[in-house]
């Protein structure tokens, strides 16, 4: 019994002594740690890491109206940082505008019809989460002037393109492969058959721009590129004719936003021709082709991820 007590006392004394030694060494280890942090240059190493500025990519809205000044087609365009060619993103004029009460939907076409060009630009900027530098809204003649440099193009339509005038619907471009002059291209972009919905003519808008892209190829002769500042990017052209000339100076990519008609009676009680879209797709495309135009949603860290996959579903 006495042996066990003596052994326990020795263990207690050893543990007590070890604790005193640890306490005595704490100030020493604290000083060492502080000096290590003070003398560290790790933060300087992070600061000195290489960085790359976001290149400037000028942007514009290209919209077309019919003879009644109803918005019929709309695209958002972005030039490349090299100032030649770019991307045309086709957006439905029936796209749902955000921030509206449930059961009272409003379309981009409604915004233009009630509040004009500036309101339309604001609505598209909100939709794309960007700041867009130029906008043009024209009828058939004005649109044809902006497309004149392309010349005649070939487009392939999946159905007849029809347009209503004086309550009579006529075919203005037949199904299949069709050659179109600038005036005829403009007429297709302005076409609206009141007996159908936008989903029916939406493919013809893309087909027309695909025809334009094919005609432009690597760049149209005589097209003038935008001014480019090395390591900065393309500067915004002075006006829309100059912007279109720069767009036609190089290859053009076409992207059409996927949509779905809203048929829910609660959200669309009057059954107007309005469409939902994938906001993530819109922002993804804009961030890819016009990074300098993007606006941070929140005042926090914002990053851009470059995906190596040529598939929108995988990227999203």
């Amino acid at each position: 019994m006495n042996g066990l007590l003596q052994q326990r006392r020795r263990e207690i004394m050893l543990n007590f002594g070890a604790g005193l030694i640890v306490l005595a060494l704490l100030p020493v280890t604290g000083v060492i740690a502080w000096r290590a942090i003070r003398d560290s240059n790790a933060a300087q190493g992070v600061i000195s890491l290489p960085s790359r500025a976001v290149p400037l990519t000028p942007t514009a809205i290209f919209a077309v109206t019919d003879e009644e000044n109803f918005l019929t087609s709309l695209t958002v365009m972005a030039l490349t940082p090299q100032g030649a060619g770019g991307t045309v993103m086709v957006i439905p004029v029936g796209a749902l505008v955000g921030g509206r009460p449930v059961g009272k939907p409003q379309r981009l076409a409604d915004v233009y019809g009630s509040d004009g060009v500036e309101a339309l630009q604001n609505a598209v900027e909100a939709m794309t989460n960007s700041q867009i530098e130029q906008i043009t809204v024209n009828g058939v003649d004005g649109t044809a002037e902006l497309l004149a440099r392309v010349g005649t193009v070939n487009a392939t339509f999946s159905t007849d393109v029809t347009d209503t005038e004086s309550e009579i619907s006529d075919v203005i471009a037949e199904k299949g492969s069709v050659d179109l002059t600038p005036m005829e291209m403009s007429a297709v972009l302005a076409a609206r058959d009141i007996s159908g919905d936008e989903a029916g003519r939406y493919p013809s808008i893309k087909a027309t721009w695909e025809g334009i892209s094919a005609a432009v190829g690597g760049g149209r002769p005589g097209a003038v590129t935008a001014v480019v500042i090395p390591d900065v990017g393309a500067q915004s052209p002075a006006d829309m004719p100059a912007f279109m000339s720069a767009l036609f100076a190089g290859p053009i990519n076409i992207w059409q936003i996927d949509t779905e008609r809203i048929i829910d009676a609660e959200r669309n009680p009057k059954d107007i021709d309005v469409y939902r879209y994938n906001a993530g797709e819109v922002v993804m495309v804009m961030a890819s082709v016009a990074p300098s135009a993007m606006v941070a949603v929140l005042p926090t860290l914002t990053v851009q991820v470059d995906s190596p996959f040529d598939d929108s579903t995988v990227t999203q």
Side-chain angles (χ1 to χ4, degrees):
M1 187 71 175
N2 291 333
L4 289 175
L5 290 173
Q6 290 178 357
Q7 182 179 354
R8 184 173 297 177
R9 285 196 192 96
R10 283 195 300 270
E11 291 175 353
I12 292 173
M13 294 302 295
L14 287 172
N15 291 336
F16 180 73
L20 290 175
I21 293 172
V22 171
L23 289 173
L25 290 175
L26 278 177
V28 177
T29 56
V31 170
I32 294 173
W34 175 79
R35 287 181 176 176
I37 294 173
R38 181 195 63 183
D39 298 335
S40 173
N41 61 359
Q44 297 175 4
V46 172
I47 294 173
S48 64
L49 287 175
S51 61
R52 183 178 65 179
V54 174
L56 295 182
T57 47
T59 52
I61 298 170
F62 186 99
V64 183
T65 61
D66 63 9
E67 65 279 357
E68 296 179 355
N69 199 33
F70 185 89
L71 197 66
T72 55
S73 70
L74 185 146
T75 62
V76 175
M77 302 174 170
L79 298 181
T80 66
Q82 294 74 36
T87 297
V88 173
M89 181 168 64
V90 182
I91 296 175
V93 298
L96 179 68
V97 175
R100 298 285 299 174
V102 175
K104 295 182 179 180
Q106 185 180 38
R107 305 165 295 184
L108 291 176
D110 299 326
V111 172
Y112 171 72
S114 60
D115 299 315
V117 175
E118 184 176 352
L120 175 64
Q121 180 172 352
N122 292 338
V124 174
E125 287 179 335
M127 178 181 179
T128 57
N129 196 41
S130 65
Q131 289 184 330
I132 300 174
E133 295 158 302
Q134 298 192 46
I135 182 171
T136 182
V137 182
N138 294 289
V140 173
D141 292 341
T143 301
E145 290 179 7
L146 292 174
L147 299 177
R149 187 179 297 277
V150 180
T152 299
V153 308
N154 181 267
T156 302
F157 300 120
S158 57
T159 61
D160 289 342
V161 180
T162 57
D163 181 45
T164 300
E165 187 173 354
S166 301
E167 299 184 355
I168 299 175
S169 294
D170 292 320
V171 175
I172 61 172
E174 295 183 349
K175 176 182 177 180
S177 178
V178 181
D179 289 334
L180 302 171
T181 65
M183 184 62 74
E184 290 169 334
M185 284 184 273
S186 180
V188 172
L189 296 177
R192 181 172 67 101
D193 190 333
I194 60 174
S195 65
D197 57 18
E198 186 176 12
R201 59 188 174 84
Y202 197 43
S204 67
I205 305 298
K206 181 183 180 183
T208 302
W209 281 108
E210 287 177 335
I212 292 172
S213 174
V216 168
R220 295 295 291 176
V224 180
T225 64
V227 175
V228 176
I229 298 178
D231 300 323
V232 176
Q235 303 301 289
S236 184
D239 52 31
M240 205 60 202
F243 188 101
M244 297 303 291
S245 181
L247 181 69
F248 296 150
I252 302 173
N253 297 313
I254 310 299
W255 187 290
Q256 187 172 51
I257 297 302
D258 289 334
T259 62
E260 181 183 3
R261 195 171 190 273
I262 299 175
I263 58 175
D264 180 8
E266 181 179 358
R267 298 185 61 193
N268 187 14
K270 295 183 179 180
D271 195 30
I272 65 173
D273 192 26
V274 62
Y275 297 82
R276 65 166 60 90
Y277 58 89
N278 186 336
E281 178 190 5
V282 175
V283 173
M284 178 196 70
V285 175
M286 282 297 295
S288 298
V289 303
S292 64
M294 301 306 293
V295 177
V297 178
L298 297 172
T300 55
L301 177 65
T302 301
V303 298
Q304 176 178 331
V305 178
D306 293 325
S307 171
F309 303 106
D310 188 20
D311 187 308
S312 61
T313 303
V314 173
T315 300
Q316 289 181 60

